[in-house]
Every structure is written in structure tokens, then in C-alpha cells.
Amino acid sequence: MRKTKIALIAAAAVLVSCSKSGADIYRGYYSFKTGGFLEITGKVYDIARDTIKIDTTVVKRTIAGRTFNDTTFKYTVIKDTLGSRDTVFNRYLSAESGQMHILGAGGNSVKVTMNVTGGNPAVFDGTAGDASISLLPVVRQVGILPGNDDEEDKSTYFLMTVSGSGKKYENMVLFDLDYSGKYDYADMCGEVTSSSVNCIATKNE
């Protein structure tokens, strides 16, 4: 009799797990990481930087009874655009990681929250079916590596429209994200024409 009850409980658990559909397949708490690159079509400008003014400040300082002049210089520089040419270039996104919550919002509607470690959170509305989950477009702040030799580890930030879709594989949801918006930094500017950005979300046990 005891073995029969255990078998019935196990069978019921299997039926409950198999009956999940739509939003219920994806609901839960996840750890995520996002990365990828953007293809940008635009222009590169030939810019000359001209110094038009130098302000000199001299301050007398005394250390250990000795006086000396401490001189500082402030340069006023203007940019002179000499020309431009059309170009297509790639820019990598700053990697993001943090916690993701996928919550039911009635029927097949979902709310997807991304609490980015050290960054601003993002909240997506979406829909979920048995085959996939879709994220509706939202405008959010995005960090992009400018690619300059002296600043390749520093991000610049732009407002981008982000949407996407994902599929569940065992305990993971793999999202393919789409980015659109404008890029304008230093001597290069343009519009995002395609993106290759993945978000890997692993369900927390």
C-alpha cells in the first residue's frame, strides 16, 4: 500500500511538470550574462584639433624653506572638420551580468526584469508560448566600448531600443537580442544596422 501511494505521488508530480505551458515554462529566477557586438553604418570624420589659447598659471610654493614656481597650463582646443567618408564599423557591447526574474503577467504575458550588477535595471514586457518567449522593445542605457587604443577598456553610454526572443533549453533560456539606435563618439557616428547579441540566463537552483 505504501509503495502504491509513493508511485501515485511520483506520477502526479510528473503530470504537473509536464502540464506546464506558455509563460509557466519560463517563470523563475535566473542568473544572466549578456555580450555581443553591433554593426554601425555611418561616417568617419577627418578632424584637426587646433589649440587657440593657452592659459598659464604660476603659483609660488614653499617646501622645507625653499620657494619654487609651480606652473600649470590650460589649453583651449577646437575641432575643425576637414572632411568625411561613409563607413561600416563594429562596436562591442560592455558585458553585463546579474539577476533576471521572469514573472507571469496574466495569460501568456510576462514581465522580464534584468537587475544588472553595477548598472541600471531593465524591465521588459513580453509574451511566452510553448516554443519561445518574446521581449517587446524598450529603451535602455547601453554601454559600448569605443575601440580607441587609449580607451578600449572604458565604456561610453547611449540610449538604445532593445527587443529580442528566446528559447528554453533544460535549465537555461537563450535570448537573441536586437539593438537599434544611434552611435556618436569621437570622429565616428552612425546608425545601428544589425546586432549580434546573446543573453544566457541560467535558472537558479
Side-chain angles (χ1 to χ4, degrees):
M1 185 68 177
R2 182 179 176 83
K3 289 183 178 179
T4 302
K5 286 184 177 180
I6 293 174
L8 288 173
I9 292 171
V14 170
L15 287 174
V16 169
S17 64
C18 291
S19 65
K20 286 186 177 181
S21 62
D24 290 338
I25 297 174
Y26 301 92
R27 288 172 60 178
Y29 300 86
Y30 299 79
S31 298
F32 77 88
K33 186 168 185 178
T34 299
F37 67 90
L38 310 176
E39 182 182 87
I40 301 167
T41 300
K43 292 183 179 294
V44 56
Y45 293 90
D46 297 322
I47 297 176
R49 292 168 174 80
D50 300 321
T51 301
I52 61 172
K53 184 180 179 183
I54 302 175
D55 292 322
T56 304
T57 303
V58 179
V59 178
K60 291 187 178 294
R61 301 188 185 277
T62 302
I63 299 177
R66 299 183 61 184
T67 301
F68 64 95
N69 293 331
D70 184 7
T71 305
T72 58
F73 302 94
K74 181 180 179 182
Y75 299 89
T76 301
V77 179
I78 63 171
K79 297 180 180 179
D80 185 14
T81 302
L82 304 178
S84 66
R85 64 183 185 277
D86 294 334
T87 186
V88 177
F89 55 97
N90 293 335
R91 286 293 180 266
Y92 284 90
L93 296 177
S94 301
E96 293 181 326
S97 61
Q99 295 299 307
M100 174 186 290
H101 295 171
I102 301 179
L103 310 170
N108 283 342
S109 297
V110 293
K111 290 278 188 182
V112 179
T113 69
M114 297 174 68
N115 186 11
V116 181
T117 301
N120 292 326
V123 179
F124 293 86
D125 289 310
T127 58
D130 294 348
S132 64
I133 179 172
S134 297
L135 304 179
L136 299 177
V138 66
V139 177
R140 61 179 302 250
Q141 188 182 60
V142 176
I144 299 177
L145 300 175
N148 295 340
D149 292 339
D150 58 341
E151 297 186 22
E152 58 184 21
D153 61 340
K154 297 179 182 178
S155 298
T156 55
Y157 291 89
F158 302 89
L159 291 179
M160 295 275 174
T161 299
V162 184
S163 60
S165 61
K167 291 186 178 182
K168 187 174 177 63
Y169 298 90
E170 297 185 2
N171 69 330
M172 301 176 70
V173 181
L174 304 183
F175 289 93
D176 183 12
L177 301 180
D178 295 315
Y179 285 63
S180 62
K182 295 183 181 297
Y183 176 92
D184 188 352
Y185 184 80
D187 57 351
M188 306 184 82
C189 70
E191 193 96 18
V192 176
T193 47
S194 68
S195 57
S196 178
V197 183
N198 297 117
C199 176
I200 301 172
T202 304
K203 197 165 189 178
N204 298 329
E205 299 297 336

